[in-house]
Amino acid sequence: MLLYLLQARLPVMGIPDGLLGPVLFLLGLSGTLGLQIARLTGRLRYRLVVVLCGTGVLTGTLLAATSWLPAVLAGGFLAGTLDDLMDVCSDVILNEMIPSSRRATLVSVSSLVFSFVMLAVAPLLGALFSMA
């Protein structure tokens, strides 16, 4: 969600149109970093990962809502990295809890819950970014 908001906001902040694609591509790579970091979190308790990632995503989102371009880019990268890290850790926990014969239901329920969360979060993020 944050990348969609930044796609509209970065040109207004002075990113030239020719650089918007590469900048968004680099921000998108943040998720790949989160996937790699997930390999290192195996010994951490899931609750700690959720607290750390949730705090980091919130911090990154607030940084991305500022008017200082380096903070916006760093915040977008931080939020993207930790969001994907938490997503992978959550998927691992859920897959360990649910037998393989019921995983299709798990994916459907997970997608539904994500949609419900985004119904509330998207307007809030939009309002935050329209104020900045």
Side-chain angles (χ1 to χ4, degrees):
M1 179 70 194
L2 189 57
L3 285 180
Y4 293 117
L5 293 169
L6 289 178
Q7 182 178 0
R9 189 158 184 255
L10 289 174
V12 174
M13 295 186 73
I15 295 278
D17 290 340
L19 289 179
L20 182 61
V23 167
L24 290 173
F25 176 75
L26 290 174
L27 288 174
L29 288 179
S30 65
T32 305
L33 179 61
L35 298 175
Q36 295 303 316
I37 293 172
R39 296 177 185 201
L40 307 173
T41 62
R43 295 184 207 157
L44 296 177
R45 296 193 62 176
Y46 178 68
R47 290 180 190 207
L48 178 62
V49 172
V50 168
V51 168
L52 292 174
C53 288
T55 303
V57 168
L58 178 62
T59 302
T61 301
L62 293 175
L63 282 171
T66 65
S67 59
W68 189 45
L69 186 58
V72 170
L73 297 174
F77 198 86
L78 177 67
T81 299
L82 296 178
D83 176 59
D84 279 12
L85 171 61
M86 187 165 55
D87 188 35
V88 169
C89 292
S90 297
D91 284 349
V92 167
I93 294 293
L94 287 172
N95 282 328
E96 289 174 353
M97 293 171 46
I98 305 297
S100 62
S101 63
R102 296 192 179 157
R103 289 218 180 107
T105 303
L106 172 67
V107 170
S108 297
V109 171
S110 177
S111 178
L112 179 67
V113 169
F114 175 80
S115 296
F116 283 143
V117 168
M118 290 310 293
L119 283 172
V121 171
L124 294 173
L125 281 177
L128 176 68
F129 274 71
S130 67
M131 289 188 302

